[in-house]
Coordinates of all heavy atoms in Angstrom, one line a residue:
S1 N 1.3 -5.2 -6.4 CA 1.6 -4.9 -7.8 C 1.0 -3.6 -8.2 O 0.1 -3.1 -7.6 CB 1.2 -6.1 -8.7 OG -0.2 -6.2 -8.6
G2 N 1.4 -3.1 -9.4 CA 0.8 -1.9 -9.9 C 1.6 -0.7 -9.8 O 1.2 0.4 -10.4
G3 N 2.8 -0.7 -9.1 CA 3.6 0.5 -9.0 C 4.2 0.8 -10.3 O 4.3 0.1 -11.3
G4 N 4.7 2.1 -10.4 CA 5.4 2.5 -11.6 C 5.6 4.0 -11.5 O 5.6 4.6 -10.4
S5 N 5.9 4.6 -12.6 CA 6.2 6.0 -12.8 C 5.0 6.7 -13.5 O 4.5 6.2 -14.4 CB 7.5 6.3 -13.5 OG 8.6 5.7 -12.9
V6 N 4.7 7.9 -13.0 CA 3.6 8.6 -13.5 C 3.8 10.1 -13.3 O 4.5 10.5 -12.4 CB 2.2 8.2 -12.8 CG1 2.3 8.6 -11.4 CG2 1.0 8.8 -13.5
Q7 N 3.3 10.9 -14.2 CA 3.4 12.4 -14.1 C 2.4 12.9 -13.1 O 1.4 12.3 -12.8 CB 3.1 13.0 -15.5 CG 4.2 12.8 -16.5 CD 3.9 13.5 -17.8 OE1 2.7 13.8 -18.1 NE2 4.9 13.8 -18.5
A8 N 2.8 14.0 -12.5 CA 1.9 14.7 -11.5 C 0.5 14.9 -12.1 O 0.4 15.3 -13.3 CB 2.5 16.0 -11.1
G9 N -0.5 14.7 -11.3 CA -1.9 14.8 -11.8 C -2.4 13.5 -12.4 O -3.6 13.4 -12.6
G10 N -1.6 12.5 -12.5 CA -2.0 11.2 -13.1 C -2.6 10.3 -12.1 O -2.7 10.6 -10.9
S11 N -2.9 9.1 -12.5 CA -3.5 8.1 -11.7 C -2.7 6.8 -11.7 O -2.1 6.5 -12.7 CB -5.0 7.8 -12.1 OG -5.7 9.0 -12.0
L12 N -2.9 6.0 -10.7 CA -2.3 4.7 -10.6 C -3.1 3.8 -9.7 O -3.7 4.3 -8.7 CB -0.9 4.8 -10.1 CG 0.2 3.8 -10.5 CD1 0.4 3.8 -12.0 CD2 1.5 4.1 -9.8
R13 N -3.2 2.5 -10.0 CA -4.0 1.6 -9.2 C -3.0 0.5 -8.7 O -2.4 -0.2 -9.5 CB -5.1 1.0 -10.0 CG -6.0 0.0 -9.3 CD -7.1 -0.5 -10.2 NE -7.9 -1.6 -9.7 CZ -9.0 -1.4 -8.9 NH1 -9.4 -0.2 -8.7 NH2 -9.6 -2.5 -8.5
L14 N -3.0 0.3 -7.4 CA -2.2 -0.7 -6.8 C -3.1 -1.9 -6.4 O -4.2 -1.6 -6.0 CB -1.4 -0.2 -5.6 CG -0.5 1.0 -5.8 CD1 0.2 1.3 -4.5 CD2 0.5 0.8 -6.9
S15 N -2.5 -3.1 -6.4 CA -3.3 -4.2 -6.0 C -2.5 -5.0 -5.0 O -1.2 -5.0 -5.0 CB -3.6 -5.2 -7.2 OG -4.4 -4.5 -8.1
C16 N -3.2 -5.7 -4.0 CA -2.5 -6.5 -3.1 C -3.4 -7.8 -3.0 O -4.6 -7.8 -2.7 CB -2.5 -5.8 -1.7 SG -1.9 -6.9 -0.3
V17 N -2.7 -8.9 -3.2 CA -3.3 -10.2 -3.1 C -2.8 -10.9 -1.9 O -1.6 -11.1 -1.7 CB -3.1 -11.1 -4.3 CG1 -3.7 -12.5 -4.2 CG2 -3.6 -10.4 -5.6
A18 N -3.7 -11.4 -1.0 CA -3.4 -12.1 0.2 C -3.6 -13.6 0.1 O -4.6 -14.0 -0.6 CB -4.2 -11.5 1.4
S19 N -2.8 -14.4 0.6 CA -2.9 -15.8 0.6 C -2.5 -16.4 2.0 O -1.9 -15.7 2.8 CB -2.1 -16.5 -0.5 OG -0.7 -16.2 -0.3
G20 N -2.8 -17.6 2.2 CA -2.5 -18.3 3.5 C -3.7 -18.2 4.4 O -4.8 -18.4 4.0
N21 N -3.5 -17.9 5.7 CA -4.5 -17.9 6.7 C -5.2 -16.6 6.7 O -5.3 -15.9 7.7 CB -4.0 -18.3 8.0 CG -5.1 -18.6 9.1 OD1 -6.2 -18.8 8.7 ND2 -4.7 -18.6 10.3
T22 N -5.9 -16.2 5.6 CA -6.5 -14.9 5.5 C -7.7 -14.8 6.5 O -8.0 -13.6 6.9 CB -7.0 -14.7 4.1 OG1 -7.8 -15.7 3.6 CG2 -5.8 -14.5 3.2
P23 N -8.4 -15.9 6.8 CA -9.5 -15.7 7.8 C -9.0 -15.2 9.2 O -9.9 -14.7 10.0 CB -10.1 -17.1 7.9 CG -9.8 -17.7 6.6 CD -8.5 -17.2 6.3
S24 N -7.8 -15.3 9.5 CA -7.2 -14.8 10.7 C -7.1 -13.3 10.8 O -6.8 -12.7 11.9 CB -5.9 -15.4 11.0 OG -4.9 -15.0 10.1
T25 N -7.3 -12.6 9.7 CA -7.1 -11.1 9.6 C -8.4 -10.4 9.7 O -9.5 -11.0 9.3 CB -6.3 -10.7 8.4 OG1 -7.2 -11.0 7.2 CG2 -5.0 -11.5 8.2
E26 N -8.4 -9.2 10.2 CA -9.6 -8.4 10.3 C -9.4 -7.1 9.6 O -10.4 -6.4 9.3 CB -10.0 -8.1 11.7 CG -9.0 -7.3 12.5 CD -9.5 -7.0 13.9 OE1 -10.6 -7.5 14.3 OE2 -8.8 -6.4 14.7
T27 N -8.2 -6.7 9.3 CA -7.9 -5.4 8.7 C -6.8 -5.5 7.7 O -5.8 -6.2 7.9 CB -7.6 -4.3 9.7 OG1 -8.5 -4.3 10.8 CG2 -7.5 -2.9 9.1
M28 N -6.9 -4.8 6.6 CA -5.8 -4.6 5.7 C -5.6 -3.1 5.5 O -6.5 -2.4 5.6 CB -6.1 -5.3 4.3 CG -6.3 -6.9 4.5 SD -6.6 -7.7 2.9 CE -5.0 -7.5 2.1
A29 N -4.4 -2.8 5.1 CA -4.1 -1.4 5.0 C -3.0 -1.1 4.1 O -2.2 -2.1 3.7 CB -3.7 -0.8 6.4
W30 N -2.8 0.1 3.7 CA -1.7 0.6 2.8 C -0.9 1.5 3.6 O -1.4 2.5 4.2 CB -2.2 1.2 1.5 CG -2.8 0.3 0.5 CD1 -4.1 0.0 0.3 CD2 -2.1 -0.5 -0.4 NE1 -4.3 -0.9 -0.7 CE2 -3.0 -1.2 -1.2 CE3 -0.7 -0.6 -0.7 CZ2 -2.6 -2.1 -2.2 CZ3 -0.3 -1.5 -1.7 CH2 -1.3 -2.2 -2.4
F31 N 0.4 1.3 3.5 CA 1.4 2.2 4.1 C 2.4 2.7 3.0 O 2.5 2.1 1.9 CB 2.2 1.6 5.2 CG 1.4 1.3 6.4 CD1 0.6 0.2 6.5 CD2 1.5 2.1 7.5 CE1 -0.2 0.0 7.7 CE2 0.8 1.9 8.7 CZ -0.1 0.8 8.8
R32 N 3.1 3.7 3.3 CA 4.1 4.2 2.3 C 5.3 4.7 3.1 O 5.2 5.2 4.2 CB 3.6 5.2 1.3 CG 3.2 6.5 1.9 CD 2.6 7.4 0.9 NE 2.3 8.8 1.4 CZ 1.7 9.7 0.7 NH1 1.3 9.4 -0.6 NH2 1.4 10.9 1.3
Q33 N 6.5 4.7 2.5 CA 7.7 5.2 3.1 C 8.6 5.8 2.1 O 9.0 5.1 1.2 CB 8.4 4.1 4.0 CG 9.5 4.6 4.8 CD 10.0 3.6 5.8 OE1 9.8 2.4 5.7 NE2 10.6 4.1 6.9
A34 N 8.9 7.0 2.2 CA 9.9 7.7 1.4 C 11.2 7.7 2.1 O 11.3 7.7 3.3 CB 9.4 9.1 1.0
P35 N 12.3 7.8 1.3 CA 13.7 7.9 1.9 C 13.8 9.0 2.9 O 13.3 10.2 2.6 CB 14.6 8.1 0.7 CG 13.8 7.6 -0.4 CD 12.4 7.8 -0.2
G36 N 14.3 8.7 4.1 CA 14.5 9.7 5.1 C 13.2 10.1 5.9 O 13.3 11.0 6.8
K37 N 12.1 9.4 5.6 CA 10.9 9.7 6.3 C 10.3 8.5 7.0 O 10.7 7.3 6.7 CB 9.8 10.2 5.3 CG 10.2 11.5 4.7 CD 9.1 12.1 3.8 CE 9.4 13.4 3.2 NZ 8.3 13.9 2.3
E38 N 9.5 8.7 8.0 CA 8.9 7.6 8.7 C 7.8 6.9 7.9 O 7.2 7.5 7.0 CB 8.3 8.1 10.0 CG 9.3 8.5 11.1 CD 8.6 8.9 12.4 OE1 7.4 8.9 12.4 OE2 9.4 9.2 13.3
R39 N 7.5 5.7 8.2 CA 6.5 5.0 7.5 C 5.1 5.6 7.8 O 4.8 5.8 9.0 CB 6.5 3.5 7.9 CG 5.5 2.6 7.1 CD 5.8 1.2 7.3 NE 7.1 0.8 6.9 CZ 7.6 -0.5 7.0 NH1 6.8 -1.4 7.5 NH2 8.8 -0.7 6.5
E40 N 4.3 5.9 6.8 CA 3.1 6.6 7.0 C 1.9 5.7 6.6 O 1.9 5.1 5.5 CB 3.1 7.8 6.1 CG 1.7 8.6 6.1 CD 1.7 9.7 5.0 OE1 2.5 9.7 4.1 OE2 0.8 10.5 5.1
G41 N 0.9 5.6 7.5 CA -0.3 4.9 7.2 C -1.2 5.7 6.2 O -1.5 6.8 6.5
I42 N -1.5 5.1 5.1 CA -2.3 5.8 4.1 C -3.8 5.6 4.4 O -4.6 6.6 4.4 CB -2.0 5.3 2.7 CG1 -0.5 5.6 2.4 CG2 -2.9 5.9 1.6 CD1 0.0 4.8 1.1

């Protein structure tokens, strides 16, 4: 959650809430993908 539109130079805060078998994970990450581009690890 937290996405939206912002002007250049601005700020935005994204949140990710995990549920289920969360103890089974060791890493969380953010990725992004723009049209026509490969998915990029942030």
